[in-house]
Amino acid sequence: MKRTYVVTGAGSGIGKKTAELLKEQGHEVIGVDIKNSDIIADLSTPEGRNALPDLVAEKSGGSIDALIACAGVSAPAPITMAVNFFGTVATLEKLQPLLAKGTDPRVAVISSVASTFPYDGDLVELALSGDETATLKFAGAEEKAQLLYSSSKAALSRWIRRNSIKEEWAGSGILMNMIGPGLVETPMTKALIEDEEQMKGLKQMMPTPQGRFAQPEDVANLLIFLASPENSHMVGQMMYIDGGGEATVRGDTIW
Ligand code: NAD
């Protein structure tokens, strides 16, 4: 059955591939991004976030069936908290009323296997308190730079665990889950993959037993399943899609 999907980050990489595959499957897709998209909105700003519900409602006719949140950045700067955590949370909260009117509504969010890497616990707590100004100021300290990406994804993952089970989400029939990709070959990771030194360190932190990195399509197919009616009973879960990296590194430690 034809469904209406909102895909953020649809201008590049995983979001772009997800939007393409959904369209090929005959669905209506409303892309959101700062570039190359149906709706141009900067999710790091209150203006971009606040404009979103009306712009989406106008294009969708007042309801949507699924939201796939891919927009993100990996800069060692506070913008990473602004987009990955606050921008994603604002997107989820502001589009919840449109999802509540949809059919078999689903939300699939891209977190990252990096959410299992070392992160700044104080920064995560501050982000979860909802104080964006204080969070971005705290995130601006030089020594935090290398922990910002993992912290943004750890905070986002915790927010999803906490909120997916609430009345507005699971209680309203909106099933929300997330995925944790390892390294995916996209414009975001091009420079990293070309940097031999950095890759050596990364491979130690995150081995890939499957023997290859993910392509955007690998990840898009999982997002599409999570956002489909066939995903009918999963709530608040993280699915790692990393060629075996998380299972290797964390092994028996979580059970
Ligand atoms: P990408 O850079 O190709 O795509 C990210 C998209 O987000 C871009 O189109 C960009 O314009 C958009 N975006 C950035 N800031 C925005 C803003 N302020 N407002 C609206 N849109 C904005 O990268 P990708 O690899 O496709 O990443 C997609 C998601 O997957 C991100 O959340 C990223 O953190 C996550 N992820 C990527 C990898 C990887 O290895 N590529 C691994 C784990 C998780």
Side-chain angles (χ1 to χ4, degrees):
M1 207 178 73
K2 187 175 173 177
R3 285 163 64 77
T4 300
Y5 290 78
V6 170
V7 179
T8 73
S12 172
I14 299 165
K16 184 176 178 198
K17 178 52 79 178
T18 305
E20 283 169 6
L21 291 178
L22 285 167
K23 281 183 200 162
E24 278 170 30
Q25 292 167 14
H27 299 294
E28 178 81 31
V29 180
I30 302 168
V32 178
D33 205 301
I34 38 174
K35 59 175 192 223
N36 308 332
S37 217
D38 305 301
I39 292 175
I40 302 296
D42 183 347
L43 299 176
S44 71
T45 66
E47 297 74 28
R49 297 169 192 165
N50 291 338
L52 203 55
D54 285 350
L55 292 171
V56 170
E58 201 180 297
K59 289 203 183 291
S60 69
S63 72
I64 59 175
D65 303 314
L67 166 60
I68 300 181
C70 303
V73 292
S74 60
I79 186 74
T80 296
M81 290 303 294
V83 178
N84 296 4
F85 180 76
F86 291 101
T88 304
V89 168
T91 303
L92 298 169
E93 289 182 334
K94 288 179 186 296
L95 297 186
Q96 190 276 350
L98 297 179
L99 284 159
K101 292 189 206 143
T103 303
D104 298 323
R106 303 284 180 267
V107 176
V109 178
I110 305 193
S111 177
S112 173
V113 78
S115 65
T116 66
F117 294 174
Y119 59 79
D120 187 311
D122 293 336
L123 184 60
V124 167
E125 283 302 336
L126 196 53
L128 286 163
S129 78
D131 187 340
E132 184 167 3
T133 307
T135 304
L136 299 192
K137 190 166 173 227
F138 192 67
E142 207 176 305
E143 68 276 12
K144 308 265 178 217
Q146 297 312 319
L147 293 177
L148 289 181
Y149 185 73
S150 58
S151 301
S152 72
K153 296 295 189 178
L156 180 61
S157 304
R158 220 183 272 177
W159 189 94
I160 288 167
R161 294 278 290 176
R162 286 182 187 176
N163 287 277
S164 59
I165 53 178
K166 291 187 176 167
E167 185 55 33
E168 308 90 284
W169 297 98
S172 303
I174 309 170
L175 308 192
M176 177 157 66
N177 294 282
M178 60 190 147
I179 67 165
L183 193 69
V184 190
E185 289 190 47
T186 70
M188 181 183 277
T189 52
K190 191 168 183 301
L192 173 67
I193 290 170
E194 285 166 3
D195 183 330
E196 270 182 39
E197 259 323 289
Q198 278 208 72
M199 282 307 288
K200 250 195 241 162
L202 191 76
K203 278 179 185 166
Q204 274 184 347
M205 228 171 148
M206 191 175 55
T208 311
Q210 191 185 353
R212 69 167 178 86
F213 299 129
Q215 296 303 309
E217 189 157 354
D218 294 310
V219 181
N221 281 321
L222 179 58
L223 289 168
I224 289 171
F225 166 70
L226 289 176
S228 73
E230 286 74 26
N231 173 27
S232 54
H233 202 52
M234 196 192 300
V235 171
Q237 296 305 310
M238 165 74 96
M239 301 196 79
Y240 294 102
I241 172 161
D242 62 355
E246 188 273 342
T248 306
V249 173
R250 299 214 294 179
D252 288 350
T253 59
I254 60 168
W255 291 296

